[in-house]
């Protein structure tokens, strides 16, 4: 459905430091530079950060969340911890299970240094 997701940042190097750490724990290679952007590619899609083209400050979208899939609970926890160590801020509940039964998900939420909301998600295989 999606070709890519791009979030605005005000300090490109600070954003790269944060996302290299966070996404690195999910097995994603460091961002590749392209002018005022860094691209993170995976077999299932592309994520990018960019300073705004219009020269205005980047702002976080109210109600917007970028979600990243993890392969395990440990990967969610490691990515969340790496994001915090790289300048992110934990938000909402602590990392853990949300929901019950077969629809339960293991989630962790944080904000990047520019206030963008990030979700790390592990969906267990169906029994």
């Amino acid at each position: 459905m999606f070709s890519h997701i791009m979030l605005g940042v005000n300090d490109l190097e600070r954003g790269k430091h944060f996302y290299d750490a966070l996404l690195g724990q999910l097995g994603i290679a460091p961002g590749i530079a392209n002018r005022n952007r860094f691209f993170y590619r995976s077999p299932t899609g592309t994520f990018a950060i960019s300073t705004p083209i219009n020269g205005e400050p980047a702002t976080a979208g109210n109600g917007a969340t970028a979600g990243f899939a993890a392969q395990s609970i440990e990967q969610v926890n490691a990515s969340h911890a790496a994001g915090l160590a790289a300048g992110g801020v934990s938000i909402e509940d602590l990392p853990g299970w949300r929901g019950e039964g077969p629809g339960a998900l293991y989630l962790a939420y944080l904000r990047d240094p520019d206030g963008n909301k990030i979700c790390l998600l592990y969906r267990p295989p169906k029994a």
Side-chain angles (χ1 to χ4, degrees):
M1 178 184 297
F2 301 102
S3 67
H4 66 282
I5 294 174
M6 184 177 296
L7 296 179
V9 298
N10 289 302
D11 181 327
L12 204 52
E13 289 303 319
R14 180 180 70 182
K16 182 180 184 325
H17 174 73
F18 175 83
Y19 285 104
D20 281 0
L22 180 99
L23 297 175
Q25 294 297 318
L26 300 178
I28 306 297
I32 298 170
N34 181 327
R35 287 182 266 175
N36 63 322
R37 298 180 175 140
F38 281 98
F39 289 91
Y40 298 83
R41 302 190 196 283
S42 81
T44 58
T46 299
F47 173 74
I49 56 172
S50 175
T51 54
I53 293 172
N54 66 3
E56 296 292 321
T59 59
N62 186 21
T65 303
F68 295 98
Q71 301 302 310
S72 67
I73 292 169
E74 294 77 17
Q75 205 176 41
V76 168
N77 292 336
S79 186
H80 185 261
L84 297 179
V89 176
S90 188
I91 58 171
E92 300 191 15
D93 294 332
L94 294 174
W97 289 100
R98 311 292 197 283
E100 298 177 13
L105 304 171
Y106 191 87
L107 304 172
Y109 289 94
L110 67 159
R111 291 200 183 270
D112 75 8
D114 288 287
N116 294 300
K117 186 176 180 181
I118 306 300
C119 175
L120 301 158
L121 178 148
Y122 169 67
R123 183 184 320 269
K126 296 194 188 234

